[in-house]
Amino acid sequence: MEFIGRDFELSQLHKALSQKKSCLVVCYGRRRIGKSALIREVGKKLPHKHYLEIQGLAPNAGISNADQLRHFMSEFSTQMGHPRLPVSDWRQAFQLLSHSIGQQRCLVFLDEISWMGALDPTFTAILKIAWDTEFKKNPHLVLVLCGSVSSWIQDNLLQAKDFMGRISLELPLQELSISECNEFWGNKKESVSAKEKLRMLAVTGGVPRYLEEINPKESADRNIRDLCFIRSGVLFSEFEKIFNDIFQKRAPTYEEIVSTLASGAHTLSEICKKLGSSPGGKISLYLKLLVAANFLSSTEEWDLKSPEKRSKQISYRISDNYLRFYLKYIRPNKEKIKKNIFKMQSFTDLKGHEAIVGLQFENLIHNNMESVFKLLEIKGMDVLRFGPYLQRATKRKKSCQIDLLIQGKYDLYLCEIKSSSRLGTKVISEMETKLQILHIPRGVSIRKVLIHCSELEEKLLEQDYFDKIISFDDLLSL
């Protein structure tokens, strides 16, 4: 399949290769997000022996640091055409690699770096020394360190004192934009409806590896059935693979945490209450790691009258569409699916599907804020705060929840996000109720926005109530 998206990241990597100085790059993000595909897209255009890719061994039982070293040298020797030499530590391995490259232009890609170095506590210290004394001497070298375990990347590379000032480029990969996702329907993208594409993206999100499995000739219902509700489906057992790879022995604990968020956002104290745990401690740490792995997102609550003030009240929500879909529909029916007695013919067969599509649609919007800003003609630099907004009830004010609120210096954009099949004037009364409850600062303009994937009734359009209406089609074709 043709490589899709990542124009900015590709341009950054090509720029690094064209410079006459060594460059250390760190690329990270959730599994299946396309990190390896991105680097390979650049590497495949380089001459033979100018691109070297070595991947760490997955942390299975029995894998040792010696196994990682042997695998490293085996790959290095095979790709560079050298006899295999035994090494006793990573210092020797990195020295051999550096001497082999010499001063030639080269892109070295060390994939799953967290797996590669996890069993040697001195790994990153040795890598830092190797960079300073060996690799950095080559002005034509780009060394890319890549990993899925974002917490390991943060602790050992991005925030580590050893690598302070040494990393030239960070590439944190997020989901593809909605318009980039649209390209996976190929020449069928014009004939497939936005509603059907939303059903598909409600399961896959903007994760490239999942989008690659779409068969454009089949309906969304058929694709979802084949991917999720058949034992051999790619997404049937995907959850265990990614959670076990990242969190290993603690995977059940992380699964229990995200399960509390399957139906909506909660604060730390609310999550702990559901789990029967005391607030803070390990749960707080685990939530941060889930955010770092791009499974959850965190939103700091704010006061519209003092947007610059920091708040200790943070809400967590599932930001990964596949994760929520798995928890709601695949996991509860796992045994039935294995025995081939769970028959899903249509998305509407799934209990509570409208509510879940609504949550998934909100996820897609929150994960595509750059596109939303563009359609609203908002400059990101002018935005003070944005995200889901919750006004908590006090003695002086009622509670109020806004799907998406964008606060600028002089404007407030109140965005209703709707995915129901038909939308009438009820959405206007809902917005008006919120406007009456919301404590809005003086001197700001209110911009009312509707973001939808619905059929709009004529009466709604005749009211000319919203300042801007953004359809899912607008986002797909951006």
Side-chain angles (χ1 to χ4, degrees), residues 7-54:
D7 292 341
F8 173 76
E9 290 83 1
L10 286 170
S11 68
Q12 292 293 296
L13 287 167
H14 285 301
K15 181 180 178 181
L17 280 165
S18 66
Q19 293 177 341
K20 294 181 179 180
K21 65 174 184 176
S22 56
C23 184
L24 182 60
V25 180
V26 178
C27 180
Y28 56 99
R30 90 186 287 288
R31 292 190 65 72
R32 319 301 192 203
I33 204 67
K35 303 179 296 297
S36 301
L38 169 69
I39 310 304
R40 288 169 188 156
E41 179 67 14
V42 177
K44 72 181 184 182
K45 297 177 182 179
L46 297 174
H48 180 57
K49 293 187 180 180
H50 287 250
Y51 172 68
L52 176 67
E53 176 183 338
I54 304 177

Side-chain angles (χ1 to χ4, degrees), residues 302-317:
W302 78 94
D303 186 339
L304 294 179
K305 295 182 180 180
S306 305
E308 72 285 350
K309 286 187 178 180
R310 312 310 300 181
S311 170
K312 293 181 180 180
Q313 197 73 278
I314 297 174
S315 294
Y316 296 89
R317 64 179 178 85

Side-chain angles (χ1 to χ4, degrees), residues 218-407:
E218 300 286 357
S219 67
D221 288 340
R222 180 64 180 268
N223 272 293
I224 293 168
R225 187 197 72 181
D226 291 348
L227 289 173
C228 303
F229 298 108
I230 295 177
R231 188 170 187 169
S232 59
V234 170
L235 300 183
F236 174 70
S237 56
E238 170 70 358
F239 179 89
E240 286 89 349
K241 292 176 182 176
I242 56 177
F243 260 53
N244 289 335
D245 280 353
I246 295 175
F247 302 118
Q248 299 176 40
K249 292 180 180 179
R250 292 198 177 98
T253 303
Y254 284 96
E255 183 176 347
E256 191 177 5
I257 292 171
V258 297
S259 295
T260 68
L261 301 171
S263 297
H266 291 299
T267 62
L268 172 61
S269 59
E270 290 168 340
I271 293 168
C272 289
K273 185 176 180 180
K274 284 195 168 191
L275 294 173
S277 304
S278 57
K282 289 186 177 180
I283 302 299
S284 179
L285 172 62
Y286 294 162
L287 283 167
K288 290 179 181 178
L289 294 178
L290 284 162
V291 171
N294 290 330
F295 292 124
L296 304 184
S297 65
S298 60
T299 302
E300 181 185 297
E301 296 181 16
W302 78 94
D303 186 339
L304 294 179
K305 295 182 180 180
S306 305
E308 72 285 350
K309 286 187 178 180
R310 312 310 300 181
S311 170
K312 293 181 180 180
Q313 197 73 278
I314 297 174
S315 294
Y316 296 89
R317 64 179 178 85
I318 293 176
S319 58
D320 186 280
N321 275 4
Y322 167 70
L323 183 60
R324 180 185 279 118
F325 189 83
Y326 173 86
L327 293 171
K328 295 294 287 187
Y329 296 116
I330 301 177
R331 185 179 66 174
N333 297 297
K334 200 121 195 183
E335 292 307 312
K336 293 179 182 179
I337 297 168
K338 287 180 180 179
K339 295 173 182 177
N340 200 31
I341 58 175
F342 184 87
K343 303 293 184 180
M344 178 267 187
Q345 298 299 328
S346 169
F347 199 89
T348 56
D349 293 340
L350 302 174
K351 186 178 180 180
H353 68 276
E354 288 187 356
I356 292 301
V357 169
L359 287 170
Q360 306 294 65
F361 186 44
E362 286 186 25
N363 259 354
L364 289 170
I365 299 306
H366 289 296
N367 292 343
N368 282 266
M369 288 307 300
E370 183 179 353
S371 299
V372 172
F373 285 174
K374 187 173 183 179
L375 290 168
L376 291 175
E377 299 181 355
I378 298 173
K379 294 180 180 179
M381 62 192 302
D382 295 331
V383 174
L384 302 176
R385 290 291 189 102
F386 68 93
Y389 184 80
L390 176 62
Q391 175 178 283
R392 293 189 177 272
T394 66
K395 292 181 179 180
R396 299 180 58 187
K397 56 187 178 183
K398 296 180 181 179
S399 65
C400 179
Q401 189 165 340
I402 309 294
D403 296 336
L404 170 62
L405 190 143
I406 305 168
Q407 183 171 10

Side-chain angles (χ1 to χ4, degrees), residues 105-152:
R105 185 172 301 281
C106 191
L107 172 61
V108 177
F109 175 29
L110 302 186
D111 200 4
E112 299 298 357
I113 190 74
S114 56
W115 294 352
M116 190 180 293
L119 298 174
D120 185 343
T122 66
F123 178 84
T124 51
I126 292 171
L127 179 58
K128 176 260 181 185
I129 294 171
W131 174 258
D132 286 346
T133 62
E134 301 282 347
F135 295 124
K136 194 176 180 180
K137 294 177 181 178
N138 181 354
H140 307 296
L141 172 67
V142 174
L143 175 61
V144 179
L145 310 178
C146 187
S148 302
V149 186
S150 299
S151 58
W152 191 96

